[in-house]
Amino acid sequence: MNILVVGGGGREHALIWKISQSSRVRKIYCAPGNPGIAGLAECVDIAADAIDELKSFALSHAIDLTVVGPEVPLAAGIVDAFEAAGLKIFGPSAKAAELEASKAFAKNIMVRYGIPTAKGQSFTDKNQALTFARSLNGQVVIKADGLAAGKGVVVCFHMEEAEKAIQNMLGEKAFGEAGTTILVEERLEGEEASIIALTDGKSILILPSSQDHKAVYDDDKGPNTGGMGAYSPAPVVDLFMQRKITKEVLEPAVRAMAAEGRPFKGVLYAGMMIHRDQIRVLEFNARFGDPETQPLMMRIQSDIITLMEAVVEERLHTCSLKVDPRAAVCVVMAAGGYPGSYTRGEIIRGLGEAASLPDTVVFHAGTTTGQGAVVSSGGRVLGVTSLGDSVEQAAANAYRAVSRISFTNCHYRKDIAMKAIEKQDRAPRVGIVMGSDSDLPVMMEVVSVLKKFDVPYEMTIASAHRTPEKAALFASSAREKGMGVIIAGAGHAAHLAGAMAAGTTLPIIGVPIDSSALQGLDALLSTVQMPPGVPVATVAIGKPGAYNAGILAVQMLAIADAELAAKLTAFKKEMADKVEEKARTLVP
């Protein structure tokens, strides 16, 4: 196959690095490309938004598949133009790409189709925008409606900051046409994460989770950028959260776009704020993220061309994804002054030495050639990306490679992936064990509760009958790991909770699972009928039992934890308020 990749940044370098590994690929072209890409593909001097020229090139060079990296040509209709000429191209149509090209359109879609998002409104009038921002006490996020290369977002903590941002966008037209309409949203609490999925308009294939770092300085300080680094996986997106995102965000978004007559085919990127068990969508993108693509391509082991073709041909349901279990971290090396003004043409030294390190690739983002060397040509210059057995090890490997590279006024964040490292260092306070993966839908109710109260947990599968040694080891090592209670779920004979109780002095809560013809009554009796001195608590069968098991575990921990006790009090009040709200609806 002959492949054309449109774009010339770090994202496109990473895509071409992965595409070049496909046995089905004969020749790769990239327009316009960069010096890093030139080692893997033939670079063509055509701008990424020169749609007619790109189409003519694809026709004359027998291109079998075109892959579009940046958002601008997608929004301008490159997919529509190529398909009209009979060319196969990976990406959404212009109508579908509006999900990224207009934040006001995306907000409207989310509100209309019940996709969780922040409270917000669109404005073209400065005074109306200021009035709305004041109603939220200045705790807002101001976004340019159109495409602004990832820089059209200002997070405000005070009304003075909101006034400045609104004046900058609507008054001074800082983002030109992209900022003639702005979106003012409530500022959300939580941790940002990204889920990127492939979709053919019907089926969805989720890629590994990732997390971007938008702010230019450490500790998320300073103005937003296109992205100063990323890592994968993001611990905040565990199995529970991934399922929740799929059900509440990705699937509804794909259905919504189809219902609107804008079927979405390509890459659907959901940037979200995650707080405990809640998710809110911050933005949708219609293409691979940059720099998230760099660590993702390092981890994906499947043939990316096969996946892209399946999207184009609407047969994604036939595909699966193979992923390297190791973590990947990308550290962006930027020009000093970015995202403001910066110098270009600085000679970059140490590229070869950094690239020679194991499990490391230096992706070029803003580079060109000059003075007989590779020199800087953009704000984000390089994306140094490494694999590691853990996020911490991957970050260490990436920073080791960064230390080998230098150019004048180079700037990079020193804390990429630190949130993930800190999260992984949290000791589990609750152990969750189930006898089979078929018990997972029930035991996810436990996870939903622990997420709500921000209680770290460890979850595994261990059978009292098939893997008794593993079950015994989990129980005997639980206290040493920091756990204060174990929740065990099993069906049929349901000896798992008892096996746990035999191996530890920690309290055990059993969840009888209704997996037999007796609708869980057999599991209930097996769980609660324990011999004297080896107690197991239980509260109900199935999902209600799992949910209440989570609540009971939190109550046990709260005996010696004032913060958890306060959260329980707030939870009780929240339940009472909901009952009162329903009662009021009965009064005419």
Side-chain angles (χ1 to χ4, degrees):
M1 294 179 69
N2 293 329
I3 307 295
L4 170 62
V5 176
V6 177
R11 166 184 46 221
E12 290 74 37
H13 190 178
L15 287 170
I16 288 170
W17 178 81
K18 176 55 62 178
I19 289 169
S20 69
Q21 297 168 20
S22 173
S23 60
R24 303 175 59 206
V25 172
R26 178 173 63 250
K27 175 79 174 180
I28 306 174
Y29 299 93
C30 185
N34 64 42
I37 290 172
L40 299 169
E42 181 179 330
C43 293
V44 182
D45 188 20
I46 303 175
D49 58 355
I51 294 175
D52 289 340
E53 290 182 60
L54 290 168
K55 182 178 68 176
S56 297
F57 180 88
L59 289 168
S60 62
H61 287 73
I63 297 299
D64 297 294
L65 179 66
T66 298
V67 178
V68 185
E71 61 273 24
V72 172
L74 290 171
I78 187 172
V79 171
D80 307 78
F82 272 52
E83 288 181 343
L87 291 165
K88 190 180 292 186
I89 183 168
F90 175 80
S93 66
K95 288 177 67 177
E98 194 171 355
L99 195 60
E100 174 176 7
S102 171
K103 293 179 176 62
F105 172 80
K107 177 65 72 174
N108 184 46
I109 287 289
M110 287 186 271
V111 171
R112 287 174 57 197
Y113 290 90
I115 298 170
T117 186
K119 176 183 178 182
Q121 292 184 25
S122 299
F123 299 95
T124 56
D125 181 84
K126 182 178 69 173
N127 292 326
Q128 291 179 358
L130 288 168
T131 298
F132 183 74
R134 289 190 189 99
S135 73
L136 296 172
N137 300 314
Q139 305 284 312
V140 295
V141 179
I142 313 296
K143 301 179 178 180
D145 176 59
L147 299 175
K151 302 170 193 173
V153 177
V154 180
V155 180
C156 306
F157 293 85
H158 308 287
M159 192 58 211
E160 294 79 9
E161 294 174 321
E163 289 172 352
K164 182 179 179 181
I166 292 170
Q167 171 63 25
N168 187 40
M169 292 188 193
L170 290 181
E172 300 172 12
K173 311 296 183 186
F175 294 100
E177 191 67 26
T180 54
T181 297
I182 66 169
L183 185 64
V184 182
E185 292 183 333
E186 62 176 327
R187 183 172 59 82
L188 298 173
E189 179 183 359
E191 186 174 346
E192 284 193 49
S194 306
I195 282 288
I196 298 174
L198 304 181
T199 178
D200 59 6
K202 300 169 186 175
S203 301
I204 296 171
L205 185 63
I206 299 175
L207 305 186
S209 63
S210 58
Q211 190 165 30
D212 187 9
H213 296 66
K214 287 292 187 187
V216 68
Y217 301 125
D218 289 2
D219 299 320
D220 293 329
K221 305 293 185 184
N224 270 8
T225 68
M228 293 298 294
Y231 59 89
S232 175
V236 70
V237 184
D238 56 14
L239 180 60
F240 167 82
M241 197 54 69
Q242 186 181 91
R243 289 182 170 208
K244 187 178 180 74
I245 291 166
T246 301
K247 183 178 179 180
E248 297 184 11
V249 177
L250 298 178
E251 290 177 352
V254 171
R255 288 196 300 266
M257 294 301 284
E260 292 288 315
R262 304 165 182 254
F264 195 104
K265 292 169 59 176
V267 177
L268 180 60
Y269 170 121
M272 292 158 294
M273 186 70 78
I274 299 176
H275 181 56
R276 297 180 187 170
D277 64 331
Q278 299 298 311
I279 51 177
R280 295 288 185 274
V281 177
L282 301 175
E283 63 175 350
F284 281 116
N285 289 337
R287 37 75 193 180
F288 284 106
D290 189 349
E292 295 97 329
T293 303
Q294 289 83 314
L296 287 181
M297 292 302 115
M298 292 281 281
R299 295 190 65 212
I300 291 173
Q301 295 178 325
S302 302
D303 188 322
I304 197 71
I305 288 297
T306 297
L307 297 178
M308 290 176 172
E309 269 202 312
V311 167
V312 174
E313 297 169 4
E314 298 184 13
R315 50 177 180 82
L316 189 59
H317 64 281
T318 65
C319 298
S320 60
L321 189 68
K322 186 177 181 182
V323 178
D324 191 323
R326 292 177 294 174
V329 172
C330 172
V331 178
V332 169
M333 302 183 73
Y338 173 80
S341 60
Y342 52 85
T343 60
R344 294 173 170 84
E346 304 293 353
I347 295 176
I348 305 170
R349 296 178 173 84
L351 289 171
E353 185 181 355
S356 69
L357 295 174
D359 295 320
T360 296
V361 180
V362 180
F363 294 113
H364 289 229
T367 66
T368 187
T369 53
Q371 308 175 61
V374 176
V375 299
S376 64
S377 64
R380 293 187 294 171
V381 180
L382 303 168
V384 182
T385 311
S386 297
L387 290 165
D389 290 334
S390 64
V391 174
E392 184 173 15
Q393 187 58 57
N397 292 343
Y399 278 111
R400 186 177 301 114
V402 165
S403 71
R404 305 295 201 274
I405 301 171
S406 64
F407 55 91
T408 302
N409 294 326
C410 169
H411 166 70
Y412 57 90
R413 283 182 57 160
K414 314 298 192 299
D415 64 345
I416 301 300
M418 189 55 65
K419 287 181 181 177
I421 295 168
E422 291 172 352
K423 188 173 288 289
Q424 289 179 337
D425 286 342
R426 295 178 72 194
R429 300 186 68 185
V430 176
I432 305 172
V433 60
M434 66 201 84
S436 167
D437 60 352
S438 63
D439 302 332
L440 186 61
V442 172
M443 299 306 284
M444 276 295 173
E445 294 294 314
V446 177
V447 177
S448 71
V449 172
L450 300 182
K451 284 280 190 180
K452 181 183 292 291
F453 290 95
D454 195 27
V455 174
Y457 63 91
E458 180 180 329
M459 184 164 63
T460 191
I461 297 173
S463 169
H465 303 109
R466 293 182 289 271
T467 57
E469 296 86 1
K470 181 179 180 181
L473 179 61
F474 187 90
S476 62
S477 62
R479 186 183 295 276
E480 183 181 341
K481 291 179 179 178
M483 297 179 203
V485 58
I486 295 174
I487 302 174
H492 292 81
H495 292 152
L496 182 59
M500 291 286 110
T504 183
T505 56
L506 292 175
I508 306 295
I509 306 172
V511 179
I513 293 177
D514 46 345
S515 58
S516 73
L518 296 176
Q519 297 183 323
L521 290 176
D522 51 347
L524 174 63
L525 292 174
S526 297
T527 299
V528 300
Q529 290 295 106
M530 293 295 295
V534 191
V536 170
T538 191
V539 282
I541 296 171
K543 289 185 176 181
Y547 188 89
N548 275 343
I551 295 293
L552 183 57
V554 174
Q555 290 175 333
M556 290 176 175
L557 296 174
I559 293 171
D561 187 326
E563 184 179 346
L564 265 186
K567 289 178 182 178
L568 279 166
T569 300
F571 172 68
K572 292 280 190 181
K573 184 179 184 304
E574 180 184 328
M575 286 195 297
D577 290 344
K578 287 180 179 177
V579 172
E580 288 299 320
E581 184 179 347
K582 290 178 181 178
R584 284 193 293 271
T585 63
L586 299 178
V587 180

